[in-house]
Amino acid sequence: MTSTARVTLRYRPAADVLTGEVHLDGADDRLTTESPDADTTLVWAGDRLSSFQLVFASARSGDDAELPLPAALLPAIQSLLITALHALDGIDDQAVRLRAKAEATTELPLEALSRGRPPELAPRQQALDRRGAMQLAHSLSRLADAVHTRVPLDDDVEALHTDHLARLLRELSATIRHQRGRTAPGTTAATRVAARAGEAFSDSELRVLEQALTALDDQRSWPQASDSLDRLLVALQQSQPRC
């Protein structure tokens, strides 16, 4: 069997979804699928990567977060993401942007595609996270509603930013509610990018939101995330909506 494998990477900028497929002749191991978080799907052939999908890949990688993939893949991934996004600079046609796709291939040693050994939470911690998921989901849904009231009527660009942020908060809420205790680092990264891009929050409110989003990426920090979201909701209730 060959000692290297060809990997095809495909990226859709509009959806910010990255997929990868490993081409290896003679690989007949039984495939197993795992999802280390709600935004990641990894398929393994034995102990080697066979394919993967990352949701909000660019937002996640641009947030200096470690992608849950073999490190040898990261240079090719970063190059593809940067090239694809730069190719859309200056293109205002939404139909073109929605249809845009990018593809790249790379050749890697087989050992570079081996499965790692991620740490697992203890059953008790997993149970605690599931119990807190509904509360967090509810707080995020309330926050999305509060953000939606700040959509300005006289600024189309800012209205798009604010509406996009509200939709991401609702998506994050739904993910946490239905995944029952699993993190969604891609969605939190995209939410963070959207919050920074617009003017829905004051500087102090944005700091509290970013504290909450950072805490959401680690199940052990979910109590802190809940506290931050509660403080932010109180602050929003005390301030006047920006119309």
Side-chain angles (χ1 to χ4, degrees), residues 4-49:
T4 63
R6 181 170 56 90
V7 183
T8 300
L9 303 172
R10 297 183 177 90
Y11 179 59
R12 290 183 290 130
D16 197 7
V17 173
L18 173 72
T19 61
E21 182 180 2
V22 179
H23 306 277
L24 180 62
D25 293 336
D28 55 358
D29 299 277
R30 179 174 299 178
L31 299 180
T32 58
T33 301
E34 68 178 27
S35 296
D37 57 67
D39 297 321
T40 305
T41 302
L42 306 174
V43 179
W44 300 94
D47 65 347
R48 292 195 177 94
L49 187 65

Side-chain angles (χ1 to χ4, degrees), residues 30-94:
R30 179 174 299 178
L31 299 180
T32 58
T33 301
E34 68 178 27
S35 296
D37 57 67
D39 297 321
T40 305
T41 302
L42 306 174
V43 179
W44 300 94
D47 65 347
R48 292 195 177 94
L49 187 65
S50 175
S51 63
F52 68 86
Q53 175 177 284
L54 288 182
V55 179
F56 297 121
S58 177
R60 190 168 176 177
S61 64
D63 210 34
D64 295 327
E66 182 178 347
L67 298 180
L69 294 168
L73 277 170
L74 302 186
I77 288 174
Q78 289 290 354
S79 178
L80 176 63
L81 297 181
I82 292 171
T83 301
L85 293 171
H86 282 178
L88 293 178
D89 288 346
I91 297 180
D92 297 325
D93 189 323
Q94 289 303 308

